[in-house]
């Protein structure tokens, strides 16, 4: 059986759109790990996710 999956980025953006307060927690976690191996990339991805989700937030 083939399962339908969505890319991780799409799911994270949707979570952030549905709960904008989650963005604070999500970004704090990315900042905490910024100095770890792969942390810079994770931080940049987190910022991108938040920016994409922000398009759907109320003004």
């Amino acid at each position: 059986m083939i399962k339908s999956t969505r890319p991780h980025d799409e799911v994270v953006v949707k979570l952030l759109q549905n709960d904008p307060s989650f963005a604070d927690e999500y970004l704090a976690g990315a900042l905490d790990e910024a100095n770890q191996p792969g942390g810079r990339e994770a931080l940049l991805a987190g910022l991108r996710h938040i920016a994409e989700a922000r398009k759907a937030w109320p003004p």
Side-chain angles (χ1 to χ4, degrees):
M1 176 168 65
I2 297 174
K3 289 186 178 185
S4 177
T5 61
R6 295 190 309 183
H8 177 265
D9 292 341
E10 183 181 325
V11 172
V12 171
V13 170
K14 191 56 134 177
L15 286 170
L16 290 163
Q17 287 172 341
N18 291 337
D19 185 6
S21 64
F22 175 56
D24 292 338
E25 203 173 316
Y26 184 69
L27 186 56
L31 285 168
D32 285 343
E33 297 181 12
N35 291 324
Q36 302 297 321
R40 283 185 176 171
E41 292 81 5
L43 176 59
L44 291 174
L47 291 170
R48 182 173 37 84
H49 293 151
I50 291 170
E52 289 179 24
R54 175 66 178 102
K55 294 175 191 176
W57 292 343

